[in-house]
């Protein structure tokens, strides 16, 4: 595999400071993510996953260190984020939500229409284009969020537990839909999750984080052939071993942070 | 077969339930219209039997008849027209800057910190108490009356608009930032629609205050308008005519509320 670095993080550290209290959210994180790679970030609650993603999304500045997203096409935005369920804007219709990024970039109306229609169809919402989010189920809202990010055609995609609020059934369906779209576009993805299953299903590589302050303590390559299904992951013995291994890692991290 | 019957039965039950709900809704509607009618009837009765002094409280039918007469002579319409014009122009003169300043205050905290002491200091002053100053600055013409209304409308709208923007969920602001919204897009696509529900509450309040202010202002310093009709007829002891003025105020107040409610459901279909 000829791999090319897409995202490079160089000793990123973020400290939140309030009055006389400071929280070190992430500490000295260096890592490289390759072009087209799907990477999952897995770690105990409060270890700084969201912080890391928000830094890459330009919503937070690092205290020290830096990062770089290598741009291939100067017309494309660097990154787009898939937010949690509440990230769909309630005063815009489904269509306008999906078109949001394109509108903000002031692309020609024809292009906006085309791409919006394409991704609405991809996520199966073409018949719901003119509804407002309040009329959608949780799963449909997440589809809107995903379509909005892909339609924007960014260099990389950032996702912060996009399926966390969904029920199991919907989660499976959306995971597969996401994989389908991703396989077609081959975007570089950084995906946060709490679910080991989800990480093994989606990713090429899993990064395990320590408890706060968040550092990357281990990484695992997932070599299952694609396209994958959840049954593949569950029935694979090696994956079962990996699951236990990751599970134990997270357990020790959580316990370690408790006894501190 | 058995199942079929069961379903039919279930439908029957729900049908009854539905009818019951409808009856309840009808009853509530009846209650809503019955209270004003009841009060009017009681008033009519007490006045006609002279249990309350009909010179001070003429029966509603007489007030209506007076309204009809005043309408025939056409004189009342000029007063209505002039009051409505003042309200309308003054309202716009207050609401438009209030929305702009409110949005800016909500969006940019330096602007908020700069303006909020001014707003807080001027808000508690009843606009009517400022009428002398307004008259000094703008003279006694129509414009000073519009300014009076504009000032009284300005405060509830500016405060609600700023609060509306501040209360927009942070996540939508993050979404806008992440997708590269510039200041203008942020203003029109996020701040304006996001603050609209709370802003419209402020406009509803402003509308009520505008009516209050115009009547009071016309009672103090005008020779036309509905407030003037009330005051002059009171002084001339033509009480039915005075009541006509009150009825008109009540009518327009109700009408404006309805219009703004209608606007609300038109402008925020996503709620
Ligand atoms: N704006 C902020 N101000 C102060 N502290 C913050 C801020 N944002 C995050 N933190 C702190 O930084 C740490 C990491 O938070 P972060 O949200 O990144 O964790 P996370 O790994 O995403 O957790 P979870 O899995 O629960 O979503 C936490 O201790 C949190 O309290
Ligand atoms: Mg998080």
């Amino acid at each position: 595999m000829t791999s090319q670095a897409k995202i490079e993080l160089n000793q990123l550290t973020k400290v939140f400071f309030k009055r006389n209290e400071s929280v070190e959210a992430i500490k000295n994180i260096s890592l490289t993510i390759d072009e087209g790679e799907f990477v999952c970030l897995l770690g105990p609650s409060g270890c700084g996953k969201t912080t890391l993603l928000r830094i890459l999304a330009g919503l937070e500045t690092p205290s020290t260190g830096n990062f770089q997203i290598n741009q291939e096409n100067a017309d494309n935005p660097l990154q787009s984020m898939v937010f949690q369920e509440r990230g769909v804007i309630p005063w815009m219709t489904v269509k306008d939500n999906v078109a949001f990024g394109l509108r903000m970039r002031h692309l020609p109306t024809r292009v906006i229409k085309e791409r919006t229609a394409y991704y609405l169809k991809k996520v199966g919402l073409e018949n719901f284009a003119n509804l407002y989010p309040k009329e959608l189920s949780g799963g449909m809202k997440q589809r809107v969020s995903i379509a909005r990010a892909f339609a924007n055609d960014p260099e990389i995609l950032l996702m912060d537990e996009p399926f966390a609020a969904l029920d199991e059934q919907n989660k499976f369906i959306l995971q597969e839909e996401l994989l389908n779209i991703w396989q077609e576009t081959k975007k570089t993805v950084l995906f946060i999750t709490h679910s080991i299953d989800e990480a093994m299903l989606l990713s090429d590589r899993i990064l395990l984080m320590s408890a706060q302050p968040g550092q990357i303590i281990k990484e695992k390559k997932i070599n299952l052939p694609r396209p994958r299904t959840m049954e593949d992951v569950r029935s694979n013995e090696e994956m079962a071993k990996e699951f236990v291994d990751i599970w134990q890692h997270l357990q020790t991290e959580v316990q370690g942070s408790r006894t501190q | 077969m058995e199942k079929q019957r069961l379903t039919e039965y279930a439908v029957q039950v729900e049908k009854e339930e539905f009818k019951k709900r409808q009856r309840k809704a009808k009853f509530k509607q009846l209650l809503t219209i019955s209270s004003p009618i009841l009060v009017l009837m009681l008033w009519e009765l007490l006045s006609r039997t002279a249990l309350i002094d009909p010179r001070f409280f003429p029966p509603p039918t007489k007030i209506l008849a007076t309204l009809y007469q005043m309408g025939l002579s056409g004189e009342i319409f000029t007063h209505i027209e002039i009051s409505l014009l003042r309200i309308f122009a003054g309202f716009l003169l207050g609401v438009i800057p209030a929305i702009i300043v409110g949005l800016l205050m909500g969006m940019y905290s330096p602007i908020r910190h700069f303006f909020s002491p001014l707003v807080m200091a001027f808000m508690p002053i009843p606009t009517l108490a400022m009428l002398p100053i307004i008259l000094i600055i703008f003279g006694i013409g129509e414009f000073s009356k519009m300014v009076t209304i504009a000032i009284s409308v300005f405060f509830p709208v500016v405060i609600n608009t700023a609060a509306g923007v501040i209360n927009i969920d942070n996540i939508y602001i993050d979404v806008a930032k992440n997708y590269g919204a510039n200041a203008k897009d942020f203003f029109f696509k996020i701040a304006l629609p996001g603050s609209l529900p709370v802003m419209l509450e402020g406009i509803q309040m402003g509308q009520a205050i505008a009516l209050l202010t115009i009547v009071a202002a016309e009672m103090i310093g005008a020779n036309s308008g509905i407030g003037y009709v009330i005051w002059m007829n009171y002084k001339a002891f033509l009480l039915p005519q005075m009541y006509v003025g009150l009825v008109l105020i009540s009518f327009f107040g109700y009408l404006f509320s309805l219009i703004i409610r209608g606007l609300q459901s038109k402008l925020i279909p996503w709620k």
Side-chain angles (χ1 to χ4, degrees):
Chain A
M1 207 163 76
T2 55
S3 52
Q4 199 186 349
K6 188 73 182 174
I7 313 174
E8 289 169 287
L9 281 65
N10 192 8
Q11 301 195 306
L12 274 189
T13 298
K14 176 72 185 180
V15 178
F16 288 105
F17 187 82
K18 256 186 211 141
R19 280 180 214 284
N20 42 22
E21 211 181 322
S22 67
V23 178
E24 197 169 24
I26 57 170
K27 187 175 182 176
N28 237 341
I29 292 189
S30 296
L31 80 106
T32 305
I33 295 174
D34 289 336
E35 172 84 56
E37 203 177 10
F38 199 125
V39 173
C40 278
L41 210 52
L42 203 60
S45 189
C47 74
K49 304 181 294 293
T50 298
T51 304
L52 180 60
L53 213 66
R54 285 175 62 85
I55 290 175
L56 292 178
L59 298 173
E60 207 92 65
T61 49
S63 305
T64 59
N66 54 52
F67 70 92
Q68 192 182 340
I69 299 167
N70 294 321
Q71 196 161 28
E72 201 175 327
N73 184 342
D75 290 337
N76 287 354
L78 274 185
Q79 43 76 28
S80 294
M81 185 137 160
V82 176
F83 290 82
Q84 289 181 343
E85 190 178 313
R86 293 179 310 124
V88 179
I89 299 171
W91 49 86
M92 294 180 191
T93 59
V94 166
K95 198 172 61 185
D96 290 337
N97 261 292
V98 174
F100 185 66
L102 305 171
R103 290 240 168 85
M104 293 305 103
R105 287 161 56 201
H106 302 281
L107 296 184
T109 318
R110 190 183 47 81
V111 178
I112 296 179
K113 258 199 182 145
E114 256 173 35
R115 273 208 228 160
T116 304
Y118 181 79
Y119 281 98
L120 275 175
K121 193 153 190 272
K122 268 271 163 242
V123 296
L125 289 178
E126 68 266 46
N127 291 330
F128 302 92
N130 293 314
L131 294 189
Y132 285 96
K134 69 163 180 189
E135 295 162 286
L136 303 182
S137 69
M140 287 154 91
K141 279 187 211 161
Q142 266 334 75
R143 288 192 174 91
V144 175
S145 225
I146 289 171
R148 177 172 65 192
F150 274 99
N152 205 26
D153 197 19
E155 294 280 325
I156 68 167
L157 282 158
L158 304 168
M159 308 195 190
D160 190 358
E161 305 195 46
F163 307 142
L166 302 182
D167 62 84
E168 285 284 286
Q169 218 56 45
N170 256 310
K171 207 181 279 190
F172 289 148
I173 297 170
L174 262 90
Q175 284 163 348
E176 283 192 15
E177 285 183 10
L178 173 63
L179 279 182
N180 278 336
I181 304 180
W182 174 73
Q183 232 127 22
E184 182 183 298
T185 56
K186 276 290 170 193
K187 293 272 174 214
T188 310
V189 180
L190 185 56
F191 188 106
I192 293 180
T193 175
H194 266 121
S195 152
I196 304 176
D197 271 335
E198 185 169 72
M200 295 202 297
L201 171 69
L202 297 176
S203 52
D204 296 316
R205 186 153 57 114
I206 299 177
L207 302 174
L208 283 176
M209 284 180 80
S210 67
Q212 193 197 61
Q215 286 170 296
I216 290 175
I217 46 171
K218 194 164 188 151
E219 62 169 69
K220 288 188 177 292
K221 285 235 188 271
I222 303 296
N223 287 321
L224 277 184
R226 296 183 188 269
R228 301 171 188 165
T229 63
M230 198 44 108
E231 293 91 72
D232 297 339
V233 176
R234 289 261 164 93
S235 62
N236 186 305
E237 260 175 57
E238 196 163 332
M239 287 299 118
K241 268 193 218 133
E242 291 287 14
F243 185 99
V244 175
D245 191 40
I246 295 173
W247 175 264
Q248 280 168 346
H249 251 284
L250 292 180
Q251 283 305 96
T252 43
E253 278 308 317
V254 171
Q255 257 138 30
S257 69
R258 281 228 187 97
T259 52
Q260 251 177 20
Chain B
M1 199 57 209
E2 189 64 14
K3 263 188 193 157
Q4 181 75 28
R5 261 224 302 276
L6 219 60
T7 318
E8 265 169 37
Y9 180 64
V11 169
Q12 202 58 41
V13 169
E14 285 304 319
K15 215 175 187 174
E16 285 303 313
E17 224 12 74
F18 178 70
K19 277 186 189 155
K20 221 192 256 171
R21 275 203 302 273
Q22 267 192 328
R23 272 201 299 275
K24 262 192 191 155
K26 274 225 179 89
F27 179 65
K28 280 181 200 155
Q29 269 178 346
L30 210 69
L31 278 181
T32 311
I33 42 175
S34 67
S35 66
I37 290 178
L38 211 71
V39 168
L40 286 174
M41 271 165 45
L42 199 68
W43 179 357
E44 181 85 25
L45 196 80
L46 292 176
S47 176
R48 289 221 176 264
T49 55
L51 280 172
I52 54 176
D53 194 333
R55 284 173 308 165
F56 300 128
F57 303 101
T61 45
K62 187 163 180 202
I63 297 172
L64 272 182
T66 312
L67 172 66
Y68 182 69
Q69 279 165 12
M70 289 168 90
L72 277 188
S73 76
E75 168 214 352
I76 191 71
F77 290 114
T78 51
H79 289 296
I80 293 176
E81 205 181 300
I82 197 122
S83 280
L84 287 185
L85 182 73
R86 285 167 185 162
I87 291 175
F88 200 69
F91 187 72
L92 288 184
L93 204 63
V95 163
I96 292 169
I99 289 175
I100 295 169
V101 174
L103 285 174
L104 291 174
M105 279 175 72
M107 281 168 61
Y108 303 107
S109 69
I111 296 184
R112 177 162 67 250
H113 286 286
F114 184 78
F115 275 109
S116 60
L118 296 179
V119 170
M120 291 307 157
F122 278 102
M123 188 180 56
I125 305 176
T127 321
L128 288 175
M130 292 203 275
L131 199 58
I133 303 170
I134 295 171
L135 290 176
I136 290 172
I137 300 175
F138 298 101
I140 48 167
E142 283 306 291
F143 191 64
S144 67
K145 286 167 194 85
M146 293 169 191
V147 170
T148 311
I149 292 181
I151 293 175
S152 65
V153 169
F154 180 83
F155 290 103
V157 177
V158 82
I159 287 171
N160 272 48
T161 305
V165 179
I166 291 165
N167 288 333
I168 294 176
D169 198 329
N170 266 331
I171 196 163
Y172 307 130
I173 293 161
D174 282 346
V175 170
K177 253 195 223 164
N178 187 249
Y179 283 86
N182 61 27
K184 181 175 148 248
D185 284 325
F186 186 79
F187 191 90
F188 284 108
K189 296 261 156 71
I190 305 290
L192 186 60
S195 63
L196 211 52
V198 185
M199 185 201 298
L200 282 172
E201 291 300 323
I203 290 179
Q204 182 74 274
M205 257 193 279
Q207 168 273 126
I209 294 177
L211 218 61
L212 227 82
T213 311
I214 189 60
V215 172
E218 285 172 347
M219 283 167 84
I220 297 172
N223 43 26
S224 57
I226 300 175
Y228 171 79
V229 168
I230 295 171
W231 194 241
M232 280 323 289
N233 286 311
Y234 163 70
K235 280 207 188 154
F237 211 66
L238 297 167
L239 287 196
Q241 279 80 344
M242 181 197 81
Y243 277 102
V244 165
L246 294 181
V247 169
L248 287 175
I249 293 298
S250 158
F251 169 75
F252 283 114
Y254 189 58
L255 184 72
F256 294 157
S257 293
L258 281 187
I259 291 173
I260 291 178
R261 285 268 164 263
L263 214 63
Q264 244 160 353
S265 56
K266 267 262 145 43
L267 287 177
I268 36 184
W270 46 274
K271 264 279 168 178

